[in-house]
Coordinates of all heavy atoms in Angstrom, one line a residue:
M60 N 10.9 6.5 -13.5 CA 10.9 5.1 -13.7 C 9.9 4.7 -14.8 O 8.9 5.3 -14.9 CB 10.4 4.4 -12.4 CG 10.2 2.9 -12.5 SD 9.6 2.1 -11.1 CE 8.1 2.9 -10.8
Q61 N 10.3 3.8 -15.6 CA 9.5 3.3 -16.7 C 9.3 1.8 -16.5 O 10.2 1.1 -16.0 CB 10.1 3.5 -18.1 CG 10.3 5.0 -18.5 CD 11.5 5.6 -17.9 OE1 12.6 5.0 -17.9 NE2 11.4 6.8 -17.4
T62 N 8.1 1.3 -16.9 CA 7.9 -0.1 -16.9 C 7.3 -0.5 -18.3 O 6.7 0.3 -18.9 CB 6.9 -0.6 -15.8 OG1 5.7 0.1 -16.0 CG2 7.5 -0.3 -14.4
S63 N 7.5 -1.7 -18.6 CA 7.0 -2.1 -20.0 C 6.8 -3.6 -20.1 O 7.1 -4.4 -19.2 CB 8.0 -1.6 -21.0 OG 7.5 -2.0 -22.3
Q64 N 6.4 -4.0 -21.3 CA 6.2 -5.4 -21.7 C 7.1 -5.8 -22.9 O 6.6 -6.3 -23.9 CB 4.7 -5.7 -22.0 CG 3.8 -5.3 -20.9 CD 3.7 -6.5 -19.9 OE1 4.0 -7.6 -20.2 NE2 3.3 -6.1 -18.7
V65 N 8.3 -5.5 -22.8 CA 9.2 -5.7 -24.0 C 10.5 -6.4 -23.6 O 10.7 -6.8 -22.5 CB 9.6 -4.3 -24.6 CG1 8.4 -3.6 -25.1 CG2 10.3 -3.4 -23.6
K66 N 11.3 -6.6 -24.7 CA 12.6 -7.2 -24.5 C 13.6 -6.1 -24.0 O 13.1 -5.0 -23.7 CB 13.1 -7.8 -25.8 CG 12.2 -9.0 -26.1 CD 12.4 -10.1 -25.2 CE 11.6 -11.3 -25.5 NZ 11.5 -12.3 -24.4
P67 N 14.9 -6.4 -23.9 CA 15.8 -5.4 -23.3 C 15.5 -4.0 -23.9 O 15.3 -3.8 -25.1 CB 17.2 -5.9 -23.7 CG 17.0 -7.4 -23.8 CD 15.6 -7.6 -24.3
S68 N 15.6 -3.0 -23.1 CA 15.2 -1.6 -23.5 C 16.2 -0.6 -22.9 O 17.0 -0.9 -22.0 CB 13.8 -1.3 -23.0 OG 13.8 -1.4 -21.6
S69 N 16.1 0.6 -23.4 CA 16.9 1.6 -22.9 C 16.2 3.0 -23.0 O 15.3 3.1 -23.7 CB 18.2 1.7 -23.7 OG 18.0 2.2 -25.0
S70 N 16.8 4.0 -22.4 CA 16.4 5.3 -22.5 C 17.6 6.2 -22.9 O 18.6 6.1 -22.2 CB 15.8 5.9 -21.2 OG 14.6 5.2 -20.9
L71 N 17.5 6.9 -23.9 CA 18.5 7.8 -24.4 C 18.1 9.2 -24.3 O 17.0 9.6 -24.6 CB 18.8 7.5 -25.9 CG 19.1 6.0 -26.3 CD1 19.1 5.9 -27.8 CD2 20.3 5.5 -25.6
P72 N 19.0 10.2 -23.9 CA 18.7 11.6 -24.0 C 18.4 12.0 -25.4 O 19.0 11.5 -26.3 CB 19.9 12.3 -23.4 CG 21.0 11.3 -23.6 CD 20.4 9.9 -23.6
R73 N 17.5 13.0 -25.6 CA 17.2 13.4 -26.9 C 18.3 14.1 -27.6 O 18.3 14.2 -28.8 CB 16.0 14.4 -26.9 CG 14.7 13.8 -26.4 CD 14.0 12.9 -27.4 NE 13.6 13.7 -28.6 CZ 13.0 13.1 -29.6 NH1 12.8 11.8 -29.7 NH2 12.6 13.8 -30.6
T74 N 19.2 14.7 -26.9 CA 20.3 15.4 -27.5 C 21.6 14.7 -27.5 O 22.0 14.1 -26.5 CB 20.5 16.8 -26.8 OG1 21.8 17.3 -27.1 CG2 20.3 16.7 -25.3
G75 N 22.3 14.7 -28.6 CA 23.6 14.0 -28.7 C 24.7 14.5 -27.8 O 25.7 13.8 -27.5
S76 N 24.5 15.7 -27.3 CA 25.5 16.3 -26.4 C 25.6 15.5 -25.1 O 26.6 15.6 -24.3 CB 25.2 17.7 -26.1 OG 24.0 17.9 -25.3
S77 N 24.6 14.7 -24.8 CA 24.6 13.8 -23.6 C 25.1 12.4 -23.9 O 25.0 11.5 -23.0 CB 23.3 13.8 -22.9 OG 22.9 15.1 -22.5
W78 N 25.4 12.1 -25.1 CA 25.8 10.8 -25.5 C 27.3 10.6 -25.4 O 28.1 10.7 -26.3 CB 25.4 10.5 -27.0 CG 24.0 10.5 -27.2 CD1 23.0 10.6 -26.3 CD2 23.3 10.5 -28.5 NE1 21.8 10.5 -26.9 CE2 21.9 10.5 -28.3 CE3 23.8 10.4 -29.8 CZ2 21.0 10.4 -29.3 CZ3 22.9 10.3 -30.8 CH2 21.5 10.4 -30.6
F79 N 27.8 10.4 -24.2 CA 29.2 10.1 -23.9 C 29.3 9.0 -22.9 O 28.4 8.7 -22.2 CB 29.9 11.4 -23.5 CG 29.3 12.0 -22.2 CD1 29.7 11.6 -21.0 CD2 28.4 13.0 -22.4 CE1 29.1 12.1 -19.8 CE2 27.8 13.6 -21.2 CZ 28.2 13.1 -20.0
F80 N 30.5 8.4 -22.9 CA 30.8 7.2 -22.0 C 30.4 7.6 -20.5 O 30.8 8.6 -20.0 CB 32.2 6.8 -22.1 CG 32.5 5.5 -21.3 CD1 32.0 4.3 -21.7 CD2 33.2 5.6 -20.1 CE1 32.2 3.2 -21.0 CE2 33.5 4.5 -19.4 CZ 33.0 3.2 -19.8
N81 N 29.7 6.7 -19.9 CA 29.2 6.8 -18.5 C 28.3 8.0 -18.3 O 28.2 8.5 -17.2 CB 30.4 6.9 -17.5 CG 31.0 5.5 -17.3 OD1 30.4 4.5 -17.6 ND2 32.3 5.5 -16.9
S82 N 27.6 8.4 -19.3 CA 26.6 9.5 -19.2 C 25.5 9.0 -18.2 O 25.0 7.9 -18.4 CB 26.0 9.9 -20.5 OG 25.0 10.8 -20.3
R83 N 25.1 9.9 -17.3 CA 24.0 9.5 -16.4 C 22.7 9.5 -17.1 O 21.7 9.1 -16.6 CB 24.0 10.6 -15.3 CG 23.0 10.3 -14.2 CD 23.2 11.2 -13.0 NE 22.0 11.1 -12.2 CZ 21.3 12.1 -11.9 NH1 21.6 13.4 -12.2 NH2 20.2 12.0 -11.2
R84 N 22.7 10.1 -18.3 CA 21.4 10.2 -19.1 C 21.2 9.1 -20.1 O 20.3 9.1 -20.9 CB 21.4 11.5 -19.9 CG 21.4 12.7 -18.9 CD 21.2 14.0 -19.7 NE 21.0 15.1 -18.8 CZ 19.7 15.5 -18.4 NH1 18.7 14.9 -18.8 NH2 19.6 16.5 -17.6
I85 N 22.1 8.0 -20.0 CA 21.9 6.8 -20.9 C 21.7 5.7 -19.9 O 22.5 5.5 -19.0 CB 23.1 6.6 -21.8 CG1 23.2 7.7 -22.8 CG2 22.9 5.2 -22.5 CD1 24.4 7.6 -23.7
A86 N 20.6 4.9 -20.1 CA 20.3 3.8 -19.2 C 19.8 2.6 -20.0 O 19.1 2.8 -21.0 CB 19.3 4.2 -18.1
A87 N 20.2 1.5 -19.5 CA 19.7 0.2 -20.2 C 19.2 -0.7 -19.1 O 19.7 -0.7 -18.0 CB 20.8 -0.4 -21.0
G88 N 18.3 -1.6 -19.4 CA 17.8 -2.6 -18.5 C 17.3 -3.8 -19.2 O 17.0 -3.8 -20.4
R89 N 17.3 -4.9 -18.5 CA 16.8 -6.2 -19.1 C 15.4 -6.4 -18.5 O 15.0 -6.0 -17.4 CB 17.7 -7.3 -18.7 CG 19.0 -7.2 -19.3 CD 19.6 -8.5 -19.5 NE 20.9 -8.4 -20.2 CZ 21.1 -8.4 -21.5 NH1 20.1 -8.4 -22.3 NH2 22.3 -8.3 -22.0
T90 N 14.6 -7.1 -19.3 CA 13.2 -7.4 -18.8 C 13.3 -8.6 -17.9 O 14.2 -9.5 -17.9 CB 12.3 -7.8 -20.0 OG1 12.9 -8.8 -20.8 CG2 12.1 -6.6 -20.9
N91 N 12.2 -8.7 -17.1 CA 12.1 -9.9 -16.2 C 11.3 -11.0 -16.9 O 11.0 -10.8 -18.1 CB 11.4 -9.5 -14.9 CG 10.0 -9.0 -15.0 OD1 9.3 -9.2 -16.0 ND2 9.6 -8.3 -14.0
T92 N 10.9 -12.0 -16.3 CA 10.2 -13.1 -16.9 C 8.8 -12.7 -17.4 O 8.3 -13.4 -18.3 CB 10.1 -14.3 -16.0 OG1 9.5 -13.9 -14.8 CG2 11.5 -14.9 -15.7
Q93 N 8.3 -11.7 -16.9 CA 7.0 -11.2 -17.4 C 7.1 -10.1 -18.5 O 6.1 -9.6 -18.9 CB 6.2 -10.5 -16.2 CG 5.6 -11.5 -15.2 CD 6.7 -11.9 -14.2 OE1 7.5 -11.1 -13.8 NE2 6.7 -13.2 -13.8
G94 N 8.3 -9.8 -18.9 CA 8.5 -8.9 -20.0 C 8.6 -7.4 -19.5 O 8.5 -6.5 -20.3
R95 N 8.7 -7.2 -18.2 CA 8.7 -5.8 -17.6 C 10.1 -5.4 -17.4 O 11.0 -6.2 -17.1 CB 7.9 -5.8 -16.4 CG 6.4 -6.0 -16.6 CD 5.6 -5.7 -15.3 NE 4.2 -5.9 -15.5 CZ 3.4 -5.0 -16.0 NH1 3.9 -3.9 -16.4 NH2 2.1 -5.3 -16.2
Y96 N 10.4 -4.1 -17.5 CA 11.7 -3.6 -17.2 C 11.5 -2.4 -16.3 O 10.4 -1.8 -16.1 CB 12.4 -3.2 -18.4 CG 11.8 -2.0 -19.2 CD1 12.3 -0.7 -18.9 CD2 10.8 -2.2 -20.1 CE1 11.7 0.4 -19.6 CE2 10.2 -1.1 -20.7 CZ 10.7 0.2 -20.5 OH 10.2 1.2 -21.1
R97 N 12.6 -2.0 -15.7 CA 12.5 -0.8 -14.8 C 13.8 0.0 -14.9 O 14.9 -0.6 -14.9 CB 12.4 -1.3 -13.3 CG 12.2 -0.2 -12.4 CD 11.9 -0.7 -11.0 NE 12.0 0.3 -10.1 CZ 11.9 0.2 -8.8 NH1 11.6 -1.0 -8.3 NH2 12.0 1.2 -8.0
I98 N 13.7 1.3 -15.2 CA 14.9 2.1 -15.3 C 14.6 3.2 -14.2 O 13.6 3.9 -14.2 CB 15.0 2.7 -16.7 CG1 15.3 1.6 -17.7 CG2 16.1 3.8 -16.7 CD1 15.3 2.0 -19.1
I99 N 15.6 3.4 -13.4 CA 15.4 4.4 -12.3 C 16.6 5.4 -12.3 O 17.6 5.2 -13.0 CB 15.4 3.7 -10.9 CG1 16.6 2.9 -10.6 CG2 14.2 2.8 -10.8 CD1 16.7 2.3 -9.2
N100 N 16.4 6.5 -11.6 CA 17.4 7.6 -11.3 C 17.8 8.3 -12.6 O 18.9 8.8 -12.7 CB 18.6 7.0 -10.7 CG 18.3 6.4 -9.3 OD1 17.4 7.0 -8.6 ND2 18.9 5.4 -8.9
L101 N 16.9 8.5 -13.6 CA 17.2 9.4 -14.7 C 16.9 10.8 -14.3 O 15.9 11.1 -13.7 CB 16.4 9.0 -15.9 CG 16.7 7.7 -16.6 CD1 15.7 7.4 -17.7 CD2 18.1 7.7 -17.2
P102 N 17.8 11.7 -14.7 CA 17.5 13.1 -14.5 C 16.3 13.6 -15.3 O 16.0 13.0 -16.3 CB 18.7 13.9 -14.9 CG 19.8 12.8 -15.2 CD 19.1 11.5 -15.3
A103 N 15.6 14.6 -14.9 CA 14.5 15.2 -15.7 C 15.0 15.5 -17.1 O 16.1 15.9 -17.3 CB 13.9 16.4 -15.0
G104 N 14.1 15.3 -18.1 CA 14.5 15.7 -19.4 C 13.7 14.9 -20.5 O 12.7 14.2 -20.1
E105 N 14.1 15.0 -21.7 CA 13.4 14.3 -22.8 C 14.4 13.2 -23.2 O 15.6 13.4 -23.3 CB 13.2 15.2 -24.0 CG 12.1 16.2 -23.8 CD 11.8 17.0 -25.0 OE1 12.6 17.1 -25.9 OE2 10.7 17.6 -25.1
Y106 N 13.8 12.0 -23.4 CA 14.5 10.8 -23.7 C 13.9 10.1 -24.9 O 12.7 10.2 -25.1 CB 14.5 9.8 -22.5 CG 15.3 10.4 -21.4 CD1 14.7 11.2 -20.4 CD2 16.7 10.1 -21.2 CE1 15.4 11.7 -19.4 CE2 17.4 10.6 -20.1 CZ 16.7 11.4 -19.2 OH 17.5 11.9 -18.2
D107 N 14.7 9.3 -25.6 CA 14.3 8.4 -26.6 C 14.3 7.0 -26.0 O 15.3 6.5 -25.5 CB 15.2 8.3 -27.8 CG 15.0 9.6 -28.7 OD1 13.9 10.0 -28.9 OD2 16.1 10.1 -29.1
A108 N 13.1 6.3 -25.9 CA 13.0 5.0 -25.3 C 13.0 4.0 -26.5 O 12.2 4.2 -27.4 CB 11.8 4.8 -24.5
V109 N 13.7 2.9 -26.4 CA 13.8 2.0 -27.5 C 14.1 0.6 -27.0 O 14.7 0.4 -25.9 CB 14.9 2.4 -28.5 CG1 16.3 2.4 -27.9 CG2 14.9 1.5 -29.8
A110 N 13.5 -0.4 -27.6 CA 13.8 -1.8 -27.3 C 14.8 -2.4 -28.3 O 14.5 -2.4 -29.5 CB 12.5 -2.6 -27.3
E111 N 15.9 -2.8 -27.8 CA 17.0 -3.4 -28.7 C 17.5 -4.7 -28.1 O 17.7 -4.7 -26.9 CB 18.1 -2.4 -28.8 CG 17.8 -1.2 -29.7 CD 17.7 -1.6 -31.2 OE1 18.4 -2.5 -31.6 OE2 17.0 -0.9 -31.9
A112 N 17.7 -5.6 -28.9 CA 18.2 -6.9 -28.4 C 19.7 -7.2 -28.9 O 20.4 -8.0 -28.3 CB 17.3 -8.1 -28.9
D113 N 20.1 -6.5 -29.9 CA 21.4 -6.9 -30.5 C 22.5 -5.9 -30.3 O 23.4 -5.8 -31.2 CB 21.2 -7.1 -32.0 CG 20.2 -8.3 -32.3 OD1 20.2 -9.2 -31.5 OD2 19.5 -8.2 -33.3
L114 N 22.6 -5.2 -29.2 CA 23.6 -4.2 -29.0 C 24.6 -4.8 -27.9 O 24.1 -5.3 -26.9 CB 23.1 -2.9 -28.6 CG 22.3 -2.1 -29.6 CD1 21.9 -0.8 -29.0 CD2 23.1 -1.9 -30.8
D115 N 25.9 -4.6 -28.2 CA 26.8 -4.9 -27.1 C 26.8 -3.8 -26.1 O 26.4 -2.7 -26.3 CB 28.2 -5.0 -27.7 CG 28.3 -6.2 -28.7 OD1 27.7 -7.3 -28.4 OD2 29.1 -6.1 -29.7
E116 N 27.3 -4.1 -24.9 CA 27.3 -3.2 -23.8 C 27.9 -1.9 -24.1 O 27.4 -0.8 -23.9 CB 28.0 -3.8 -22.6 CG 27.9 -3.0 -21.3 CD 28.4 -3.7 -20.1 OE1 28.2 -4.9 -20.0 OE2 29.0 -3.0 -19.3
G117 N 29.1 -1.8 -24.8 CA 29.8 -0.6 -25.2 C 29.1 0.2 -26.2 O 29.3 1.4 -26.3
D118 N 28.2 -0.4 -27.0 CA 27.4 0.3 -28.0 C 26.6 1.4 -27.5 O 26.2 2.4 -28.2 CB 26.6 -0.6 -28.9 CG 27.4 -1.5 -29.8 OD1 28.6 -1.3 -30.0 OD2 26.9 -2.5 -30.3
W119 N 26.1 1.3 -26.2 CA 25.2 2.3 -25.7 C 25.9 3.7 -25.5 O 25.2 4.7 -25.3 CB 24.7 1.8 -24.3 CG 23.7 0.7 -24.5 CD1 23.9 -0.6 -24.0 CD2 22.5 0.7 -25.1 NE1 22.8 -1.4 -24.4 CE2 21.9 -0.6 -25.1 CE3 21.7 1.7 -25.8 CZ2 20.7 -0.9 -25.6 CZ3 20.5 1.4 -26.3 CH2 20.0 0.1 -26.2
F120 N 27.2 3.8 -25.7 CA 27.9 5.0 -25.6 C 28.5 5.5 -26.9 O 29.3 6.4 -26.9 CB 28.9 5.0 -24.5 CG 28.3 4.7 -23.1 CD1 28.3 3.4 -22.5 CD2 27.7 5.7 -22.4 CE1 27.8 3.2 -21.3 CE2 27.1 5.5 -21.2 CZ 27.1 4.2 -20.6
D121 N 28.2 4.8 -28.0 CA 28.7 5.1 -29.3 C 27.7 6.0 -30.0 O 26.6 5.6 -30.3 CB 28.9 3.8 -30.1 CG 29.5 4.0 -31.5 OD1 29.4 5.1 -32.0 OD2 30.1 3.1 -32.0
P122 N 28.1 7.3 -30.2 CA 27.2 8.2 -30.9 C 26.6 7.8 -32.2 O 25.5 8.0 -32.5 CB 28.0 9.5 -31.0 CG 29.1 9.4 -30.0 CD 29.4 7.9 -29.9
V123 N 27.4 7.0 -33.0 CA 26.9 6.6 -34.3 C 25.8 5.5 -34.1 O 24.7 5.6 -34.7 CB 28.1 6.0 -35.1 CG1 27.5 5.3 -36.4 CG2 29.1 7.0 -35.5
V124 N 26.0 4.6 -33.2 CA 25.0 3.6 -32.9 C 23.8 4.3 -32.3 O 22.6 4.0 -32.7 CB 25.6 2.5 -31.9 CG1 24.5 1.6 -31.5 CG2 26.7 1.8 -32.6
L125 N 24.0 5.2 -31.4 CA 22.8 5.8 -30.7 C 22.0 6.6 -31.7 O 20.8 6.7 -31.6 CB 23.3 6.7 -29.6 CG 23.9 6.0 -28.4 CD1 24.4 7.0 -27.4 CD2 22.9 5.1 -27.8
E126 N 22.6 7.2 -32.7 CA 21.9 8.0 -33.7 C 21.0 7.0 -34.5 O 19.8 7.4 -34.8 CB 22.9 8.7 -34.6 CG 22.2 9.6 -35.7 CD 21.5 10.8 -35.1 OE1 22.0 11.3 -34.1 OE2 20.4 11.1 -35.7
Q127 N 21.5 5.9 -34.8 CA 20.7 4.9 -35.6 C 19.5 4.4 -34.7 O 18.4 4.2 -35.2 CB 21.5 3.7 -36.0 CG 22.6 4.1 -37.0 CD 23.6 3.0 -37.3 OE1 23.6 2.0 -36.6 NE2 24.4 3.2 -38.3
V128 N 19.8 4.1 -33.4 CA 18.8 3.6 -32.5 C 17.7 4.6 -32.3 O 16.5 4.3 -32.2 CB 19.4 3.1 -31.2 CG1 18.4 2.8 -30.1 CG2 20.3 1.9 -31.4
A129 N 18.1 5.8 -32.1 CA 17.2 6.9 -31.8 C 16.1 7.1 -32.9 O 15.0 7.6 -32.6 CB 17.9 8.2 -31.6
R130 N 16.4 6.7 -34.1 CA 15.4 6.9 -35.2 C 14.2 6.0 -35.0 O 13.1 6.2 -35.6 CB 16.1 6.5 -36.6 CG 17.1 7.5 -37.0 CD 17.7 7.1 -38.3 NE 18.9 7.9 -38.6 CZ 20.0 7.4 -39.1 NH1 20.1 6.1 -39.5 NH2 21.1 8.1 -39.2
R131 N 14.4 4.9 -34.2 CA 13.3 4.0 -34.0 C 12.6 4.2 -32.6 O 11.9 3.3 -32.1 CB 13.8 2.5 -34.1 CG 14.3 2.2 -35.4 CD 14.8 0.7 -35.5 NE 15.8 0.3 -34.6 CZ 17.1 0.5 -34.8 NH1 17.6 1.1 -35.8 NH2 18.0 0.1 -33.9
A132 N 13.0 5.2 -31.9 CA 12.6 5.4 -30.5 C 11.3 6.1 -30.3 O 10.8 6.7 -31.2 CB 13.7 6.2 -29.8
T133 N 10.8 6.0 -29.1 CA 9.6 6.7 -28.7 C 10.0 7.8 -27.7 O 10.8 7.6 -26.8 CB 8.7 5.7 -27.9 OG1 8.3 4.7 -28.8 CG2 7.4 6.4 -27.4
L134 N 9.5 9.0 -27.9 CA 9.8 10.2 -27.1 C 9.2 10.0 -25.7 O 8.0 9.7 -25.6 CB 9.3 11.5 -27.7 CG 9.4 12.7 -26.8 CD1 10.8 13.1 -26.5 CD2 8.7 13.9 -27.5
V135 N 10.0 10.2 -24.7 CA 9.5 10.2 -23.3 C 10.0 11.5 -22.6 O 11.2 11.8 -22.6 CB 10.0 9.0 -22.5 CG1 9.5 9.0 -21.1 CG2 9.6 7.7 -23.2
R136 N 9.1 12.2 -21.9 CA 9.4 13.4 -21.1 C 9.3 13.0 -19.7 O 8.3 12.5 -19.3 CB 8.5 14.6 -21.5 CG 8.8 15.1 -22.8 CD 7.9 16.4 -23.0 NE 8.1 16.9 -24.4 CZ 7.4 16.6 -25.4 NH1 6.4 15.8 -25.3 NH2 7.7 17.1 -26.6
I137 N 10.4 13.2 -18.9 CA 10.4 12.9 -17.5 C 10.6 14.2 -16.7 O 11.6 14.9 -16.9 CB 11.4 11.9 -17.1 CG1 11.2 10.6 -17.9 CG2 11.5 11.6 -15.6 CD1 12.3 9.6 -17.8
E138 N 9.7 14.5 -15.8 CA 9.8 15.7 -14.9 C 10.5 15.3 -13.7 O 10.7 14.1 -13.4 CB 8.4 16.3 -14.6 CG 7.6 16.7 -15.8 CD 8.3 17.8 -16.6 OE1 9.0 18.7 -16.0 OE2 8.1 17.8 -17.8
E139 N 11.0 16.2 -12.9 CA 11.7 15.9 -11.6 C 10.8 15.1 -10.7 O 9.6 15.4 -10.5 CB 12.0 17.2 -10.9 CG 13.0 17.1 -9.8 CD 14.4 16.7 -10.2 OE1 14.8 17.2 -11.3 OE2 15.1 16.0 -9.5
D140 N 11.3 14.0 -10.2 CA 10.7 13.0 -9.3 C 9.4 12.4 -9.9 O 8.5 11.9 -9.2 CB 10.3 13.7 -8.0 CG 11.5 14.2 -7.2 OD1 12.5 13.4 -7.2 OD2 11.5 15.3 -6.6
E141 N 9.3 12.4 -11.2 CA 8.1 11.8 -11.9 C 8.3 10.3 -12.2 O 9.4 9.9 -12.5 CB 7.8 12.6 -13.2 CG 6.6 12.0 -13.9 CD 6.4 12.8 -15.2 OE1 7.3 13.3 -15.8 OE2 5.2 12.8 -15.7
R142 N 7.3 9.6 -12.1 CA 7.3 8.2 -12.5 C 6.5 8.0 -13.8 O 5.4 8.6 -13.9 CB 6.7 7.3 -11.4 CG 7.5 7.2 -10.2 CD 6.9 6.4 -9.1 NE 7.7 6.3 -8.0 CZ 8.0 5.2 -7.4 NH1 7.4 4.0 -7.8 NH2 8.8 5.2 -6.3
K143 N 7.0 7.2 -14.7 CA 6.3 7.0 -15.9 C 6.1 5.5 -16.2 O 6.9 4.7 -15.7 CB 7.1 7.6 -17.1 CG 7.1 9.0 -17.2 CD 6.1 9.6 -18.1 CE 6.3 11.1 -18.2 NZ 5.5 11.6 -19.2
S144 N 5.1 5.1 -17.0 CA 5.0 3.8 -17.4 C 4.9 3.8 -18.9 O 4.2 4.7 -19.5 CB 3.7 3.2 -16.8 OG 3.5 1.9 -17.3
L145 N 5.7 3.0 -19.6 CA 5.7 3.0 -21.1 C 5.9 1.6 -21.6 O 6.7 0.8 -21.2 CB 7.0 3.8 -21.5 CG 7.2 3.9 -23.0 CD1 6.1 4.7 -23.7 CD2 8.6 4.5 -23.3
D146 N 4.9 1.2 -22.5 CA 5.0 0.0 -23.2 C 5.6 0.3 -24.6 O 5.1 1.1 -25.3 CB 3.6 -0.6 -23.4 CG 3.0 -1.2 -22.1 OD1 3.8 -1.4 -21.2 OD2 1.8 -1.3 -22.1
I147 N 6.7 -0.4 -24.9 CA 7.4 -0.2 -26.2 C 7.6 -1.6 -26.9 O 7.6 -2.6 -26.2 CB 8.7 0.6 -26.2 CG1 9.6 -0.1 -25.2 CG2 8.4 2.0 -25.8 CD1 11.0 0.6 -25.1
V148 N 7.7 -1.6 -28.2 CA 7.8 -2.8 -28.9 C 9.1 -2.9 -29.6 O 9.6 -1.9 -30.2 CB 6.7 -2.9 -30.0 CG1 6.8 -4.1 -30.9 CG2 5.3 -2.9 -29.4
Q149 N 9.8 -4.0 -29.5 CA 11.1 -4.2 -30.2 C 10.8 -4.2 -31.7 O 10.0 -5.0 -32.2 CB 11.7 -5.5 -29.7 CG 13.1 -5.6 -30.2 CD 13.8 -6.8 -29.6 OE1 13.3 -7.4 -28.7 NE2 14.9 -7.2 -30.1
R150 N 11.6 -3.4 -32.5 CA 11.4 -3.3 -33.9 C 12.6 -3.9 -34.6 O 13.7 -3.9 -34.2 CB 11.2 -1.9 -34.4 CG 10.0 -1.3 -33.8 CD 9.9 0.2 -34.1 NE 9.0 0.8 -33.2 CZ 8.8 2.1 -33.2 NH1 9.4 2.9 -34.0 NH2 7.9 2.6 -32.4

């Protein structure tokens, strides 16, 4: 689980082989009124965390879009059953 003080955010797997429609390794969430978000049930692994406001829902599974977004991302490593807290800034 990640929490933060940003606008809409997501977690992307570090490898493009996991970038396909309905991948369990791609997650997006909206912030609450305090600017916090929560993403749960990600498998262990390395992810790119990024805050994006201008993506359509289907863009999260487009490898070309994900490659561009990943360039601005923050690396996050999640171990099995681990909880993380991450503050990221929308760029």
